[in-house]
Amino acid sequence: MSITPTGESRHEKKLQHQPITCLTAYDYATARLLDEAAIDIVLVGDSLAQTMLGYENTLSVTVDEMLHHTRAVHRGVKNGFLIADMPYGSYHVGTDEAVKNATRFIKEGGAEAVKMEGGEKRADLIRRIIDAEIPVAGHIGLTPQSVNVMSGYKVQGKSLNAIEQLMRDAVALDRAGVACIYLEGIPREVAAMITAEVATPTIGIGAGPECDGQVLVIHDILNLTFATPAKFVRRYGDAAALITDAAQAFRDDVIAHQYPADRESYHLPKETQQALETVLERKRGMQR
Ligand code: KIV
């Protein structure tokens, strides 16, 4: 089946049990490479607060910062479905402001959908945003924007009450008409139950293999986080080693006068070189 960015295609994939792929990207080059690798969904996650901007958590990243990265990613994505995260504070204060901010991600950022964290309690707001012709992705389970309320990044949905709440959240998002539901940091058994219950495709991160799709943070899979990876992360490359080795090799070459070589230098055109030599010779003659 060909991969198209339409919602219909994601739902078809769910029905046909074809896994949906999603990775985060925050810049043009990465977005382009992911798109060329036929990744279905490119997510400009607010994880960029940590991965790109070095903040401690996702709480301080602003709409303008997210938009800056979304625009860059948009220029690199031709085929994939582009989702941008609404950052903390951009949809928590009032409905009108949330709709206005969501609109900016579509108009100014080039995103095709916005993602926001929270389940049941966000359903009305999500309906309003969908009413404004903006597809919305839901995100439940371990929701990093709630880090202070959750007292840290902990696996969610471990008690019967918590499972019941997660099911209610997923069903509320499903009924609100979200494009997909991100399930983060929950037991695989719970993710499997949610995935079986809702018509909306689920995309898991630390939520086990039964989800309709999987997402990972690009910096996690490339060893670019300077931290011990979470249990669910699989490293597919070592960009840290690649960058360190290249930087050290460059430094060694420069210090040893091995870079740049003549073949890496520009040269004057022959006529200019000859004319220059004549001028210099004349100058030297005058100085004698
Ligand atoms: O911000 C992000 O990267 C995310 C993914 C982890 C789903 O929300």
Side-chain angles (χ1 to χ4, degrees), residues 24-32 42-55 61-77 82-85 105 108-111 218-219:
T24 66
Y26 317 108
D27 65 285
Y28 170 76
T30 309
R32 204 174 148 162
V42 179
L43 171 68
V44 186
D46 61 353
S47 50
L48 72 80
Q50 291 130 305
T51 58
M52 296 299 287
L53 305 177
Y55 291 131
V61 71
T62 66
V63 170
D64 285 334
E65 285 169 327
M66 289 298 301
L67 276 172
H68 174 78
H69 289 273
T70 305
R71 280 192 288 268
V73 169
H74 172 57
R75 289 179 208 116
V77 175
L82 175 54
I83 303 181
D85 250 334
F105 279 94
E108 297 175 39
I218 190 81
H219 283 55

Side-chain angles (χ1 to χ4, degrees), residues 22-26 43-51 58 66 85 115 117 139 142 144-145 182-184 203-205 215-218 220 232:
C22 175
L23 285 169
T24 66
Y26 317 108
L43 171 68
V44 186
D46 61 353
S47 50
L48 72 80
Q50 291 130 305
T51 58
T58 60
M66 289 298 301
D85 250 334
K115 174 162 86 57
E117 297 182 5
H139 183 162
L142 194 173
Q145 292 176 8
Y182 285 83
L183 300 178
E184 179 166 355
I203 317 262
I205 175 162
V215 57
L216 283 172
V217 168
I218 190 81
D220 281 338
F232 60 82

Side-chain angles (χ1 to χ4, degrees), residues 9-22 40-41 170 174 179-183 188 190-205 207-215:
S9 162
R10 278 190 308 282
H11 281 83
E12 265 172 34
K13 281 194 156 194
K14 177 175 177 106
L15 291 174
Q16 294 170 9
H17 302 291
Q18 291 182 10
I20 300 162
T21 56
C22 175
D40 295 319
I41 302 175
D174 192 38
C180 57
I181 304 173
Y182 285 83
L183 300 178
R188 78 180 272 187
V190 180
M193 279 165 56
I194 293 173
T195 301
E197 181 69 23
V198 297
T200 307
T202 60
I203 317 262
I205 175 162
E210 284 84 10
C211 299
D212 297 308
Q214 297 293 329
V215 57

Side-chain angles (χ1 to χ4, degrees), residues 66-110:
M66 289 298 301
L67 276 172
H68 174 78
H69 289 273
T70 305
R71 280 192 288 268
V73 169
H74 172 57
R75 289 179 208 116
V77 175
K78 299 278 172 278
N79 303 303
F81 188 67
L82 175 54
I83 303 181
D85 250 334
M86 299 269 292
Y88 176 66
S90 69
Y91 58 98
H92 301 78
V93 178
T95 308
D96 288 348
E97 198 179 324
V99 177
K100 206 165 118 197
N101 283 326
T103 310
R104 288 189 71 194
F105 279 94
I106 307 299
K107 276 177 98 84
E108 297 175 39

